[in-house]
Amino acid sequence: IIVGFIFLAIGVFSAINIFWTLPGQTLTGVGAAAGIGLINSVGNLSGFTGPYLTGYLYTTTGNYTVAFMVIAGFVAMGGLGLILLAITWSQATPELGRWMWVFGAIGHLLITLMTVSIWLFRSQFKIPQITAAWFIPAVGNILVPISGVQYAPADISWFFFSVGLTFWVVLMTLVLYRLFFYDPLPIKLQPTLFIFIAPPAVGFLAYLSLNGGSLDAFARILYFIALFFTLFLAVHIRHFLRIPFFLTAWAYSFPLAA
């Protein structure tokens, strides 16, 4: 563990110098100052939300296992965030987008390997602890091909797509089993149900990138699975509107965007 933290610190502090060159490459003058301020503001939020979320999940579940898995999900979102930025900037600044995609893809692959290793060799998880938030570390690989076909050989994107699709099928089965045969999710965790929309929706976009935009049978399957989950949750929209705001409301954002 100590060696792992050492290498983690080396990676983080090595990346900081490179990271802070990015705002100046894309923004100038007042915009650069505002961008740096925004980055600091968003980054400092973790100092509040991390301990608060950990304490809340410990109070809700009675152990730290779920809390650490959710925090790991947010860590995985860092790599996915770089990939999303690479998609956004692929036209305006393709070279910057390429490097963001490379770092994001490699980072997310490492998170996936670490997460699956924990599940297989160190897992003490119980079925009631599973939520749709578990999709993020492993299934998030399905996002990589959306811009990956522009930056790397197609087989690399097919690799990430295959990994994400496989874990989506497995984890969706486990999550549905937990929802069908165990107690309902606590009210504070029910917004995470919206995550069901993301894998087939993003998978649809990724598959279109991989097959040249052809709307074949498999693309239609992914699209209509995403549409089904969207319609199902829309039917229960009044229930979700009555749920008070919790930190888990973040789960409404990226699935609906997808």
Side-chain angles (χ1 to χ4, degrees):
I1 294 176
I2 294 175
V3 173
F5 276 118
I6 291 173
F7 281 103
L8 178 64
I10 292 173
V12 170
F13 288 109
S14 298
I16 286 177
N17 293 329
I18 300 174
F19 171 78
W20 283 113
T21 65
L22 298 179
Q25 293 180 20
T26 56
L27 302 170
T28 58
V30 176
I36 293 172
L38 178 62
I39 292 169
N40 276 308
S41 298
V42 174
N44 287 333
L45 287 175
S46 64
F48 167 76
T49 57
Y52 177 84
L53 183 61
T54 301
Y56 155 68
L57 290 173
Y58 176 78
T59 303
T60 302
T61 63
N63 62 72
Y64 285 107
T65 302
V66 177
F68 290 150
M69 283 303 301
V70 173
I71 295 297
F74 279 107
V75 173
M77 291 287 287
L80 294 178
L82 286 175
I83 296 170
L84 288 170
L85 288 173
I87 296 171
T88 304
W89 292 349
S90 60
Q91 300 300 323
T93 54
E95 190 60 29
L96 178 59
R98 178 190 303 276
W99 284 108
M100 298 193 78
W101 180 86
V102 169
F103 285 120
I106 293 174
H108 196 77
L109 178 60
L110 294 175
I111 290 292
T112 300
L113 292 172
M114 180 184 69
T115 302
V116 175
S117 297
I118 292 173
W119 288 344
L120 290 177
F121 301 115
R122 303 181 184 177
S123 176
Q124 299 178 353
F125 304 120
K126 308 298 180 183
I127 291 293
Q129 298 173 334
I130 299 175
T131 71
W134 283 36
F135 287 174
I136 298 173
V139 184
N141 289 282
I142 209 168
L143 178 68
V144 173
I146 294 180
S147 59
V149 293
Q150 176 182 344
Y151 297 128
D155 281 345
I156 294 178
S157 292
W158 277 110
F159 166 78
F160 281 98
F161 182 81
S162 302
V163 172
L165 189 67
T166 300
F167 279 104
W168 170 50
V169 174
V170 172
L171 291 173
M172 182 174 65
T173 304
L174 290 174
V175 174
L176 290 176
Y177 177 81
R178 180 258 179 270
L179 294 173
F180 290 164
F181 299 108
Y182 287 82
D183 293 335
L185 284 175
I187 194 71
K188 296 179 179 181
L189 295 179
Q190 289 184 12
T192 61
L193 293 174
F194 274 72
I195 298 176
F196 274 107
I197 300 172
V202 174
F204 169 74
L205 298 173
Y207 183 70
L208 288 183
S209 296
L210 286 166
N211 74 350
S214 175
L215 195 63
D216 58 17
F218 185 63
R220 284 183 164 86
I221 290 172
L222 292 172
Y223 177 83
F224 286 117
I225 292 174
L227 181 60
F228 168 78
F229 282 124
T230 304
L231 293 175
F232 172 77
L233 293 167
V235 168
H236 299 279
I237 191 64
R238 294 179 63 184
H239 168 76
F240 289 102
L241 290 175
R242 288 195 295 266
I243 297 178
F245 177 79
F246 299 108
L247 287 176
T248 50
W250 61 265
Y252 293 132
S253 58
F254 68 90
L256 292 177

